[in-house]
Amino acid sequence: MKRDLVLILDFGSQYTQLIARRVREHKVYSEIHPFNLPMDEIRRLAPKAVILSGGPSSCYDPGAPTVSTEVYELGVPVLGICYGVQLTAKLLGGEVKPHDKREYGRAHVKVNVAGGKSPLFHGFAVGEELAVWMSHGDRVERLPEGFTLIGETANAPAAAVADERRKIYGVQFHPEVAHTPRGGEVLANFLFRICGLQPSWTMASFADEAVKAVRAQLGEKGRVICGLSGGVDSSVAAKLILNAVGPRLTCIFVDNGLLRQGERGGVEALFAGAFHADLHVVDAEKRFLDKLAGVTDPEQKRKIIGREFIAVFEEEAKRIDGVEFLAQGTLYPDVIESVSFKGPSATIKSHHNVGGLPDRMKLKLVEPLRELFKDEVRELGAELGLPRPVLWRQPFPGPGLAVRVLGEVTRERCDILRGADSIIDEEVRAAGLYESIWQAFGVLLPVKSVGVMGDQRTYADALCIRAVHSKDGMTADWVPLPYELLAVMSRRIINEVRGVNRVVYDITSKPPGTIEWE
């Protein structure tokens, strides 16, 4: 797909993905690549602009990440952010030094007379002070030749700089974060006034391009299988491919007995019913639960479920003649992580989503969403006609209820959790909070306690309610749900779900905890 590209070179900032998302919010396509991307590859990508991200290094340290000065000679505008402006200053003949007063957090950048004339600060008055977010210990002490100071703070005189002739700009603050309220205007000025780009990156245009790309990849006769989970990513990928090749797509839904209440019926009604897709439903509940019998270790549960899913999927795929392709709902953050500046992170636990299929299947991958962030996938899904309840469904772990039923996983314990979980879902929706919360769910604890119900002593399970706010699942804050809502959920769960006599609420954030208990 040929389109205007803003190339973001990543120096390890925690905000790099935010830069890409903010650019795309202006309907301009952006891609993240590691800082050491070879110049030949950069030229092949033919970007219309380059943004250098922030990062944790000091640009004057031995071995600090850097780029070739040829980046500044491509003839396209360049914007350096935080480490990016420091590196730009150093490479082009300026000077960067550590400073006694490091700047972390809120600050104010004053637009000077030169800034009032710069297109980067179009719409900002001379003398105006911008609330910004800083995160640096070094600062630019001397500007390279040709650069002008256009914005400053008391602590970082070179808070914004420009070489207007060569269209090279730099800001010491982070315009991409929410703590810089007018940062979007600064980025828009760079994209439109300086780079002359057009806001043409829309999900309607992407859908058309992606359908054509899938048809080109599959050719005239290629058949493709897609594992449906009921989640957003696989549903959107399946619908897009269905639009592209129709009956040449076969969807496989594995019912492992670890699903939310109504999950299987919802998938069947939407894809086999409304969309008339070729849907194969595999009832593998007994198979999975038999394998999980007696297992309590979380990692062992995940590995068993992963292996069994692959085995079931492979068996079902063999029953379909002429399959050459496998569709996956890979998203852009997964792609970025695979070429991350920082390299693979330490494993906290196996990933929620089941891993790839074995090489022996010899299937070629179709990944129509690999350029998209999660919010863009939802937008694309709406464009393709998927119902809002599917698109805004809260994330659900690949191993399903197995990592929310703590201890041994049995049919009875899954049913208890399913009943409680459906009540949590209903009440959160009724309170109008469902789409504003990243996840709200129940966890069945391996703890029994004494209770009194109807003048009789009970000894039953305890259930924990968990609700968190998050942007991407990497970090999360617990949600202070209204007491009235917690009271309703607790009362309903104890009254309606046989086997639970105590409800507790989890107020742990991530870190130090994780979103899922296992």
Side-chain angles (χ1 to χ4, degrees):
M1 302 178 195
K2 185 65 178 173
R3 57 174 80 95
D4 288 347
L5 166 68
V6 173
L7 173 64
I8 300 166
L9 294 179
D10 180 21
F11 292 88
S13 169
Q14 60 182 319
Y15 303 131
T16 302
Q17 285 194 33
L18 262 183
I19 300 171
R21 292 177 68 170
R22 295 293 175 259
V23 170
R24 291 188 182 193
E25 283 170 8
H26 289 295
K27 294 183 168 47
V28 175
Y29 182 65
S30 61
E31 284 184 8
I32 298 171
H33 289 269
F35 71 92
N36 55 2
L37 189 69
M39 281 305 303
D40 287 348
E41 183 64 15
I42 291 176
R43 291 191 186 92
R44 187 192 67 78
L45 289 170
K48 299 295 184 181
V50 175
I51 295 178
L52 309 178
S53 85
S57 304
S58 292
C59 63
Y60 46 75
D61 284 346
T66 189
V67 293
S68 168
T69 55
E70 293 176 65
V71 166
Y72 304 97
E73 298 163 8
L74 290 170
V76 301
V78 177
L79 173 65
I81 295 174
C82 196
Y83 180 86
V85 68
Q86 295 166 8
L87 181 64
T88 296
K90 177 181 177 294
L91 290 176
L92 298 183
E95 189 174 11
V96 178
K97 289 185 176 179
H99 196 260
D100 310 344
K101 296 180 182 177
R102 298 181 297 173
E103 248 180 343
Y104 295 102
R106 289 179 172 83
H108 288 85
V109 171
K110 187 175 182 178
V111 178
N112 64 16
V113 174
K117 297 175 183 176
S118 174
L120 192 68
F121 284 146
H122 175 82
F124 297 85
V126 173
E128 185 172 354
E129 292 196 350
L130 287 69
V132 302
W133 188 258
M134 292 282 196
S135 181
H136 66 99
D138 299 333
R139 71 181 195 180
V140 177
E141 291 286 349
R142 178 169 53 81
L143 294 178
E145 186 178 345
F147 277 79
T148 305
L149 178 68
I150 61 174
E152 56 196 285
T153 69
N155 193 44
V161 301
D163 181 334
E164 305 287 3
R165 183 182 64 82
R166 289 190 288 175
K167 295 188 176 181
I168 302 173
Y169 298 83
V171 292
Q172 187 60 68
F173 58 90
H174 288 274
E176 69 275 22
V177 303
H179 295 302
T180 303
R182 298 186 67 185
E185 293 176 55
V186 175
L187 286 174
N189 284 338
F190 177 70
L191 298 171
F192 303 127
R193 294 189 172 274
I194 292 167
C195 304
L197 297 170
Q198 297 299 314
S200 57
W201 167 250
T202 66
M203 283 305 104
S205 64
F206 176 86
D208 291 341
E209 292 173 352
V211 163
K212 290 174 186 172
V214 169
R215 285 175 182 157
Q217 184 180 1
L218 268 63
E220 294 297 321
K221 297 180 180 177
R223 288 192 61 80
V224 56
I225 54 173
C226 176
L228 267 181
S229 68
V232 178
D233 305 337
S234 66
S235 296
V236 174
K239 184 61 168 69
L240 191 147
I241 295 168
L242 186 64
N243 285 8
V245 297
R248 287 194 278 148
L249 167 69
T250 296
C251 297
I252 299 174
F253 180 84
V254 178
D255 183 351
N256 58 11
L258 306 169
L259 305 174
R260 288 173 282 197
Q261 196 157 287
E263 191 107 54
R264 174 173 171 172
V267 170
E268 288 177 312
L270 182 62
F271 278 89
F275 294 156
H276 306 294
D278 179 22
L279 175 65
H280 291 209
V281 176
V282 184
D283 188 345
E285 178 183 55
K286 185 176 185 305
R287 178 170 175 170
F288 275 82
L289 292 179
D290 284 350
K291 293 285 185 181
L292 289 167
V295 177
T296 58
D297 179 73
E299 278 301 297
Q300 198 177 350
K301 287 181 189 178
R302 289 173 178 273
K303 287 173 182 174
I304 288 169
I305 293 164
R307 284 196 303 267
E308 208 58 28
F309 178 87
I310 289 171
V312 172
F313 195 92
E314 187 178 12
E315 289 167 16
E316 190 63 25
K318 285 179 180 174
R319 296 191 178 99
I320 304 164
D321 293 332
V323 174
E324 301 173 56
F325 297 89
L326 168 68
Q328 288 187 343
T330 309
L331 301 191
Y332 194 45
D334 303 322
V335 176
I336 295 168
E337 285 302 317
S338 69
V339 292
S340 166
F341 162 83
K342 300 175 185 176
S345 302
T347 301
I348 305 299
K349 58 188 176 185
S350 303
H351 197 270
H352 292 335
N353 296 322
V354 177
L357 294 175
D359 291 339
R360 64 177 176 271
M361 288 189 74
K362 305 297 181 189
L363 297 178
K364 302 166 198 167
L365 280 182
V366 180
E367 299 173 304
L369 310 181
R370 63 180 285 114
E371 294 178 322
L372 304 183
F373 289 104
K374 190 77 167 191
D375 51 345
E376 293 171 324
V377 172
R378 287 193 169 108
E379 195 179 339
L380 174 62
E383 192 71 38
L384 296 172
L386 283 154
R388 189 174 181 89
V390 172
L391 296 178
W392 286 93
R393 202 141 193 220
Q394 292 178 355
F396 188 61
L401 298 183
V403 292
R404 292 179 180 175
V405 170
L406 307 194
E408 185 178 9
V409 181
T410 65
R411 169 69 186 271
E412 180 188 14
R413 301 195 80 217
C414 286
D415 285 343
I416 290 172
L417 182 53
R418 260 188 285 270
D421 214 39
S422 67
I423 290 171
I424 295 168
D425 184 275
E426 286 171 21
E427 294 301 334
V428 168
R429 288 179 188 275
L433 298 175
Y434 186 83
E435 291 185 8
S436 65
I437 294 174
W438 175 262
Q439 279 174 281
F441 56 91
V443 181
L444 189 61
L445 306 181
V447 173
K448 288 186 180 292
S449 69
V450 173
V452 178
M453 299 175 73
D455 295 326
Q456 291 187 341
R457 179 185 182 276
T458 62
Y459 190 56
D461 290 324
L463 183 123
C464 175
I465 297 173
R466 176 85 161 133
V468 296
H469 286 312
S470 181
K471 291 287 186 185
D472 52 17
M474 300 302 292
T475 60
D477 293 321
W478 65 276
V479 179
L481 289 177
Y483 289 151
E484 296 81 2
L485 176 57
L486 288 171
V488 170
M489 289 193 292
S490 175
R491 185 171 60 250
R492 284 195 60 194
I493 289 168
I494 290 171
N495 286 342
E496 298 174 30
V497 180
R498 189 174 295 276
V500 175
N501 70 350
R502 190 175 299 270
V503 174
V504 298
Y505 190 55
D506 183 351
I507 58 169
T508 311
S509 293
K510 177 185 178 180
T514 53
I515 294 176
E516 301 292 341
W517 277 47
E518 290 190 342

